[in-house]
Structure formats: C-alpha cells, structure tokens
Amino acid sequence: MRLKLILLVLFLINLNDSAIAIKCFQCDSNIDLECSEYFDPDMTSLQSKSCDNVFEARFCIKTTGMFGGVIGTIRNCSSRDLGDRCSYLKRPGDQRYVRSCVYTCSSDDCNHAQKINHSLPLSMITLIIFITSIFYL
C-alpha cells in the first residue's frame, strides 16, 4: 500500500510539471546557419527555449524541406503531434523532387537530432507503473 501511495504522489508531481511549457530548439537554417539539418547541441551557441509563444505547446518539431523557395531546416514548438513522415514534393516547373520531412517529439530539447527519439514523459512512465502495481501488488 505504501508503494502505491508513493507512486501516486510521484505521478501527481510529474503531472504538475507537465503543465509547464515544453522547451524546444526554435530556429530556421535560412536565418541561422547553426540550425542546419545535422545539428549537435554541444557544438552550437543555439539554446532551447520555453514554448510559451505557442498556445498549449506539448511537442517539439523539426521540419526539413523547401520553405519560400529555399531548402532548409526549421525547428519549433507545436500544440499538435504532427507525427513523423517524409514526402517528395515537386514544384511546378521544377525538374527534380525535394524530400520534405516532419519529425515530432514530446520531451524537452528533443528536436535537435536528425532522427528524433520518442520517449515517454516521466509522468506517463509513473502512471504505467502505478496502474500495473494496482493489479499485481
């Protein structure tokens, strides 16, 4: 019983932390060259920022492709899970296709990598353990 109470308290604490805005890298490679597709957060001056500027932001995104006629990478915040997908687009009059991708993740600073690791927030892990303990302890 004591373990269940501890897990419930941990879940509630983590749930409260999740109400605070997520932090994401927010940059555009057409403005800042350090925001390129291959990005090492340890080798750059770019810092992640709180997503207070996006209503109900819970995700970080990284998009690659053609923006305003220029190929580049944009990292930002999102209130929606845009999933992970790539497609090949061809503009009218162009001879070649451009690969455009969007990657979505849900933990702080997660949109730096070329491919994004999807990790469960600590509150979800705690909830899973708590529910499991109800049935098996």
Side-chain angles (χ1 to χ4, degrees), residues 118-131:
H118 297 276
S119 59
L120 286 174
L122 186 56
S123 58
M124 290 301 295
I125 294 169
T126 307
L127 177 62
I128 291 168
I129 293 170
F130 176 70
I131 291 172

Side-chain angles (χ1 to χ4, degrees), residues 44-99:
T44 182
S45 62
L46 295 174
Q47 300 292 315
S48 65
K49 302 174 195 168
S50 177
C51 293
D52 297 332
N53 56 331
V54 176
F55 181 69
E56 294 183 351
R58 297 180 306 146
F59 303 96
C60 297
I61 57 171
K62 174 189 165 195
T63 55
T64 60
M66 177 117 17
F67 308 102
V70 180
I71 294 175
T73 300
I74 296 175
R75 291 175 170 81
N76 215 333
C77 310
S78 177
S79 58
R80 294 185 358 196
D81 184 345
L82 302 175
D84 295 342
R85 62 183 181 280
C86 293
S87 59
Y88 289 87
L89 306 174
K90 184 177 176 184
R91 294 186 327 163
D94 281 353
Q95 295 298 314
R96 64 185 177 130
Y97 288 88
V98 175
R99 184 173 188 237

Side-chain angles (χ1 to χ4, degrees), residues 10-60:
L10 283 173
F11 173 73
L12 292 174
I13 289 170
N14 288 318
L15 189 63
N16 186 38
D17 286 346
S18 66
I20 298 171
I22 190 171
K23 287 174 51 180
C24 302
F25 288 96
Q26 301 172 48
C27 59
D28 181 339
S29 66
N30 293 314
I31 297 169
D32 191 336
L33 294 177
E34 288 188 287
C35 189
S36 65
E37 183 172 357
Y38 303 100
F39 178 87
D40 183 352
D42 296 327
M43 303 296 289
T44 182
S45 62
L46 295 174
Q47 300 292 315
S48 65
K49 302 174 195 168
S50 177
C51 293
D52 297 332
N53 56 331
V54 176
F55 181 69
E56 294 183 351
R58 297 180 306 146
F59 303 96
C60 297

